[in-house]
Amino acid sequence: MAQVDTADGPLTNTNVSTWENTIMKDPSTLIIVAISPRYKADIESCVVNTRGGLHTKYIYSMMQHEFIQQGSLNFRFIPVLFLEASQKDVPRWLQNTRVYRWPRDTDDLLLRLLREERFVPPPVPVELTVFITPVVATP
């Protein structure tokens, strides 16, 4: 299922409730945060949104609240920088997570969405052998 909050079409209050009650309440759902200068302006604006029902700021607040509730750990918000965007457009609380650039990081982004690793770690043996070597202090 895909949900989009865009400037091209208004969302109704019902859609925001659906977003909050389904997408935000399901911790297994990954959320792509499309970073652009306009997105930054929308979330930092003090002006009430008059573009006919966009709820960018409200959804942003819900994401930020979850981030804080998770102990400032990001488990599911995936910031993606589009061509006109730069690192300075990424919200401060998402600065310490992996930021993908579109279209350069397409492969890595798809792997993240599929929850797959690029490199498979080597298998760990069932029994580990630990060698302890005493260190002798020399005067």
Side-chain angles (χ1 to χ4, degrees):
M1 175 170 76
Q3 295 284 328
V4 180
D5 176 29
T6 67
D8 297 333
L11 291 175
T12 65
N13 288 336
T14 304
N15 289 349
V16 172
S17 295
T18 300
W19 173 273
E20 187 172 5
N21 292 325
T22 58
I23 303 302
M24 288 305 294
K25 293 215 174 163
D26 182 0
S28 68
T29 301
L30 297 173
I31 297 173
I32 294 176
V33 182
I35 306 294
S36 69
R38 182 172 179 175
Y39 179 74
K40 182 177 182 174
D42 283 347
I43 61 174
E44 292 179 350
S45 172
C46 294
V47 178
V48 176
N49 190 344
T50 59
R51 285 189 268 161
L54 268 185
H55 299 285
T56 303
K57 257 182 124 160
Y58 181 68
I59 292 170
Y60 173 82
S61 295
M62 286 191 296
M63 292 187 304
Q64 190 176 31
H65 180 74
E66 179 179 316
F67 174 78
I68 292 166
Q69 293 298 318
Q70 295 290 335
S72 296
L73 296 173
N74 179 21
F75 295 108
R76 65 185 187 132
F77 305 119
I78 304 170
V80 178
L81 288 176
F82 285 88
L83 295 175
E84 70 280 0
S86 68
Q87 189 70 28
K88 68 178 173 66
D89 295 319
V90 178
R92 181 176 252 166
W93 60 274
L94 281 174
Q95 293 276 337
N96 290 333
T97 191
R98 167 74 196 271
V99 178
Y100 297 88
R101 288 193 168 277
W102 184 265
R104 184 185 76 192
D105 298 329
T106 304
D107 291 345
D108 290 338
L109 178 58
L110 290 175
L111 287 172
R112 174 70 178 103
L113 292 172
L114 293 171
R115 301 175 196 266
E116 293 186 13
E117 298 290 332
R118 179 178 288 281
F119 304 103
V120 179
V124 177
V126 176
E127 288 186 28
L128 294 175
T129 304
V130 178
F131 296 99
I132 300 174
T133 306
V135 177
V136 180
T138 56

